[in-house]
Amino acid sequence: TTDGLVNAEIRSQVAGYLLTRAYQEGGAVKKGDLLFQIDPRKFQAALDQAVGDLKRAQAQLTKTKLDVARNEPLAKEGAISLKELQDSVQANLAAGAAVESAKAAVEQAKLNLEWTKVVAPIDGVVGIAKAQIGDLIDANSALTSMSTLDPIRVYFPISEQEYLKLAGRMEERYQEYQEKVDPTKVREDARMEMVLSNGEVYPHKGWFFLADRQVDVKTGTIRVAALFPNPGNVMRPGQYAKI
């Protein structure tokens, strides 16, 4: 079974009305490209309010600092009580905490505003949209899905006995990928052949990528993944093939 090298479910992180869909369904996009735009107005207003709250908290902090600076010499001279000095110090600490809280609220408001732009997390082909322009989107609503398709993964089972014969070589290849090999480049030692569901031999040869973590106790097989070059994104996830 074919599958994307990387698959991503695209979901919203904030609620609001869907204003635009910026990609062509079924088209290829780059990481960071805009996919959807959710109405940002209420999030911009929330950010403006959070910035205002931060400024008020900072002003209060400045006032309490001045109070402490004024009360410390007065307390030493006995012009005010020690309690008044301690109260001003505590007010200053509380004002400092309020500033930190207000800063966090500003950062959260910025994030919410940023999340109104739903962007592609990977390079790949984007599927049919699950939400339409004008829909009211909830947080975590599924919007679409996308996959990196070149190279494409192909999963196939081998017997436990076959796995034991090849386990050492598989581990060597796997370590190569972890250390230095770019899986998007065609391997010179590609030697796996794929026959498509219509009987045609796929024109590009593939190579071993990884073995699953366990043997299926029901079938006595272990699932192995191979990678095949897929120029033009001709092969798509979910297709049937023989290796």
Side-chain angles (χ1 to χ4, degrees):
T1 305
T2 58
D3 196 10
L5 178 65
V6 181
N7 301 304
E9 186 79 12
I10 308 303
R11 293 181 175 271
S12 59
Q13 293 181 278
V14 293
Y17 286 101
L18 194 62
L19 293 183
T20 59
R21 172 173 57 80
Y23 75 95
Q24 189 71 30
E25 291 176 306
V29 300
K30 295 292 185 181
K31 181 179 179 179
D33 285 354
L34 181 66
L35 300 180
F36 297 94
Q37 174 69 63
I38 297 171
D39 190 347
R41 290 175 294 178
K42 71 175 184 178
F43 299 102
Q44 182 63 60
L47 175 58
D48 294 341
Q49 181 177 348
V51 170
D53 292 341
L54 174 59
K55 290 180 178 179
R56 282 192 292 272
Q58 289 171 332
Q60 182 63 23
L61 177 61
T62 300
K63 176 184 179 301
T64 58
K65 283 182 178 179
L66 293 174
D67 290 342
V68 172
R70 183 187 66 250
N71 289 343
E72 282 181 339
L74 293 176
K76 290 179 181 179
E77 296 170 1
I80 63 172
S81 67
L82 181 59
K83 181 180 183 305
E84 289 179 276
L85 173 60
Q86 291 174 339
D87 287 346
S88 63
V89 170
Q90 291 301 316
N92 178 243
L93 293 174
V99 167
E100 294 303 315
S101 178
K103 286 180 179 179
V106 169
E107 291 304 312
Q108 183 61 60
K110 286 180 179 179
L111 276 177
N112 288 340
L113 181 60
E114 181 181 330
W115 286 336
T116 62
K117 293 183 177 181
V118 181
V119 300
I122 57 173
D123 296 348
V125 174
V126 191
I128 296 172
K130 299 177 183 178
Q132 303 302 317
I133 295 172
D135 286 354
L136 178 59
I137 303 301
D138 296 325
N140 203 39
S141 291
L143 302 179
T144 187
S145 57
M146 63 180 300
S147 299
T148 299
L149 299 181
D150 189 14
I152 195 165
R153 290 194 196 205
V154 183
Y155 291 109
F156 60 95
I158 63 174
S159 70
E160 182 179 354
Q161 290 76 18
E162 288 172 318
Y163 170 74
L164 290 173
K165 290 179 182 179
L166 299 171
R169 292 168 62 190
M170 287 182 174
E171 181 61 23
E172 288 177 5
R173 293 296 172 85
Y174 183 74
Q175 291 303 323
E176 289 179 4
Y177 285 121
Q178 301 304 308
E179 295 171 2
K180 61 183 180 180
V181 176
D182 182 354
T184 63
K185 298 187 188 307
V186 176
R187 291 285 302 243
E188 293 180 358
D189 59 353
R191 56 174 62 109
M192 290 187 178
E193 188 174 75
M194 179 163 57
V195 179
L196 305 181
S197 59
N198 61 1
E200 294 182 1
V201 177
Y202 188 63
H204 305 284
K205 289 190 176 182
W207 57 93
F208 167 80
F209 183 45
L210 58 86
D212 206 350
R213 68 179 185 85
Q214 72 175 44
V215 172
D216 187 329
V217 295
K218 295 181 180 179
T219 63
T221 61
I222 186 169
R223 191 167 69 152
V224 174
L227 296 182
F228 281 79
N230 188 26
N233 299 320
V234 175
M235 298 293 291
R236 297 298 174 103
Q239 288 184 251
Y240 171 78
K242 291 182 180 181
I243 300 297

